[in-house]
Amino acid sequence: MYFLVISLGLCIAYFLIYWLFSLFFTRSVVGITKNTILSIAIIFVFSVVGYYITFLIPNLEFGNRILHTFVGGFLCTLICFLVVRDGGFNITKLQFFIFSLLIVTALGVLNEHIEYFLQTYVRYLFYSNPKDTWLDLLSNTVGILIANTVFIPFVNKRKPTIANPEK
């Protein structure tokens, strides 16, 4: 159930990130495009498949590292990329790298706060390793770096849109 909630939360995060990119890079809120439905489907499917693959890994510690690398860091950076692609935001590769790094790191920290709350007050046990939070955040960072290596070459290679009229 927790993982389904996280998958839905990532779909909602798309809209929040879209709003943030609109405000930072156009100084106004840019309307949602027709690609939004496809992007939400990609996010949800990638998340569910990522969780499924992680559960197939017999070593729970290694599976958790893979989960945070690919469903945490990589997928959240993919969300930032989909937002930039869908909105046609005119940003540089460096701006994308820095902004996505900050957003995805913040989402990773938020996830760790949620895990702490659930483990402390609801007794929903995640992992007993005292270094788990730090390893999760490190895994998220590795995922961010992998995703940026993949997506940065494609940033700002679009035709003009409402958010990017000068191309």
Side-chain angles (χ1 to χ4, degrees), residues 9-22 24-25 33 39-40 42-43 46 70-108 140 143-145 147-152 154-156 158:
L10 290 171
C11 293
I12 293 168
Y14 170 91
F15 295 102
L16 296 173
I17 294 169
Y18 198 99
W19 177 74
L20 278 174
F21 271 86
S22 291
F24 272 86
F25 298 109
T33 67
S39 294
I40 295 298
I42 289 169
I43 293 163
F46 190 102
F70 291 103
V71 178
F74 189 92
L75 177 58
C76 289
T77 306
L78 171 63
I79 293 170
C80 291
F81 175 76
L82 292 172
V83 163
V84 169
R85 183 199 69 180
D86 294 350
F89 296 105
N90 187 21
I91 65 173
T92 67
K93 294 171 185 347
L94 180 62
Q95 286 173 320
F96 176 81
F97 175 76
I98 292 170
F99 208 66
S100 66
L101 178 75
L102 293 173
I103 288 173
V104 177
T105 300
L107 290 173
N140 286 345
I144 293 167
L145 296 175
N148 271 297
T149 302
V150 171
F151 299 126
I152 280 183
F154 302 103
V155 169
N156 221 356
R158 287 192 42 113

Side-chain angles (χ1 to χ4, degrees), residues 17-63:
I17 294 169
Y18 198 99
W19 177 74
L20 278 174
F21 271 86
S22 291
L23 290 179
F24 272 86
F25 298 109
T26 66
R27 295 197 176 113
S28 64
V29 177
V30 176
I32 300 298
T33 67
K34 62 182 177 183
N35 292 329
T36 297
I37 304 265
L38 176 61
S39 294
I40 295 298
I42 289 169
I43 293 163
F44 189 78
V45 168
F46 190 102
S47 178
V48 170
V49 168
Y51 286 121
Y52 178 74
I53 290 171
T54 301
F55 291 137
L56 294 177
I57 299 172
N59 182 321
L60 293 178
E61 184 64 32
F62 181 68

Side-chain angles (χ1 to χ4, degrees), residues 121-154:
Y121 299 107
V122 183
R123 302 287 183 221
Y124 188 93
L125 184 62
F126 287 92
Y127 292 96
S128 59
N129 181 349
K131 296 180 183 178
D132 180 65
T133 298
W134 298 111
L135 293 171
D136 289 350
L137 294 173
L138 181 62
S139 299
N140 286 345
T141 303
V142 169
I144 293 167
L145 296 175
I146 292 169
N148 271 297
T149 302
V150 171
F151 299 126
I152 280 183
F154 302 103

